[in-house]
Amino acid sequence: MPAFPFSGGARCGRHLGAFAALAATLILAACSGEPSEGDMRRLVETHTRRVLERQGNAGFRAFDDFRKQGCVEAKPKAGQGIGQAGGRDEAPYDCYYAATFVPQPGQPALTVNGKGRFRRTDKGLTFEDLGAQPR
């Protein structure tokens, strides 16, 4: 009797097929130019920290929760094209997110829905704040 029955091998083949499909999806997502949730969180947290510090509120360090809600390729502004800043600029993405944080110690947590423009350049990923509204 073989060490691995054929029925188990067929089951393994299905798992390998599912794994291959997942791997292909992840590779395509990584090549899309769209920012990851982690990249978005890092840039939006840094921006939020700087804005709050300028307003005299140095208590913010990080979001309690951050969720990427989706991205769409941004349309170039009039007179601008992709790569006009020189170098390897890619098409920007307008992305939507929800971020939860405590604005000041002792206050209840606040969740905001925000929108930002993310662009990959030779210098890395950049963020432009396009506005946020409390939920």
Side-chain angles (χ1 to χ4, degrees):
M1 183 172 255
F4 298 103
F6 289 109
S7 64
R11 199 176 6 205
C12 182
R14 275 183 277 161
H15 292 293
L16 287 175
F19 176 76
L22 176 62
T25 301
L26 292 174
I27 289 168
L28 288 173
C31 294
S32 73
E34 185 176 304
S36 71
E37 182 173 276
D39 288 340
M40 287 175 60
R41 179 180 185 140
R42 179 179 50 81
L43 289 167
V44 176
E45 276 179 342
T46 299
H47 173 78
T48 302
R49 187 178 309 112
R50 287 178 181 154
V51 168
L52 291 174
E53 285 173 354
R54 280 196 301 263
Q55 295 173 356
N57 181 358
F60 174 80
R61 289 291 143 231
F63 295 126
D64 296 316
D65 190 34
F66 185 92
R67 290 177 312 283
K68 174 181 176 178
Q69 295 177 323
C71 296
V72 295
E73 196 169 313
K75 306 259 189 279
K77 294 178 184 174
Q80 288 184 337
I82 297 171
Q84 288 218 336
R88 183 187 73 76
D89 291 3
E90 297 177 10
Y93 284 85
D94 287 348
C95 299
Y96 301 86
Y97 59 87
T100 302
F101 65 102
V102 176
Q104 292 184 355
Q107 290 185 341
L110 174 68
T111 298
V112 296
N113 289 319
K115 179 181 179 184
R117 180 158 294 159
F118 296 83
R119 179 188 312 267
R120 293 194 189 281
T121 69
D122 288 338
K123 296 178 183 176
L125 189 63
T126 63
F127 167 73
E128 176 186 351
D129 186 7
L130 299 178
Q133 297 294 320
R135 200 170 5 168

